[in-house]
């Protein structure tokens, strides 16, 4: 198991569905976190996230979003539902 694989295995994004705050936790600090709506529009970006990260989402519209977490050259995408 390489470092990137262990980061993915232990990556947590919760709650799902989410209403006000989305928590992103990983064993290592990601290089970036990006959020996209289903139209492919980037609605949030952090180039300096922490291993335990809180994202306030109460200003996002209701719907399905894609959370991208980047570790080096490895990218994982997680689907999250945001509700009012």
């Amino acid at each position: 198991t390489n470092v990137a694989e262990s980061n993915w295995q232990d990556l947590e994004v919760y709650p799902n569905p989410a209403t006000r705050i989305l928590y992103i936790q990983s064993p290592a600090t990601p290089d970036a976190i990006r959020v996209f709506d289903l139209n492919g529009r980037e609605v949030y970006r952090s180039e300096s996230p922490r291993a335990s990260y809180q994202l306030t989402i109460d200003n996002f519209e209701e719907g399905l979003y894609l959370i991208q977490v980047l570790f080096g050259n490895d990218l994982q995408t997680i689907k999250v539902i945001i509700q009012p």
Side-chain angles (χ1 to χ4, degrees):
T1 302
N2 67 31
V3 173
E5 285 176 2
S6 66
N7 289 337
W8 299 136
Q9 291 171 355
D10 296 328
L11 180 67
E12 293 182 68
V13 178
Y14 63 93
N16 191 6
T19 55
R20 290 198 162 94
I21 295 177
L22 187 64
Y23 298 94
I24 302 168
Q25 293 190 329
S26 64
T29 302
D31 295 313
I33 294 174
R34 297 183 297 185
V35 181
F36 294 88
D37 65 16
L38 284 185
N39 293 321
R41 183 181 57 189
E42 185 178 279
V43 295
Y44 180 82
R45 172 189 291 254
S46 176
E47 298 293 342
S48 56
R50 296 172 302 284
S52 190
Y53 194 75
Q54 267 181 282
L55 175 59
T56 302
I57 57 170
D58 55 1
N59 60 340
F60 288 21
E61 292 182 26
E62 181 178 5
L64 183 64
Y65 289 80
L66 303 175
I67 313 295
Q68 290 188 342
V69 182
L70 180 69
F71 290 99
N73 292 328
D74 295 314
L75 178 72
Q76 180 162 344
T77 303
I78 298 140
K79 294 177 187 175
V80 174
I81 297 170
I82 295 180
Q83 297 178 332

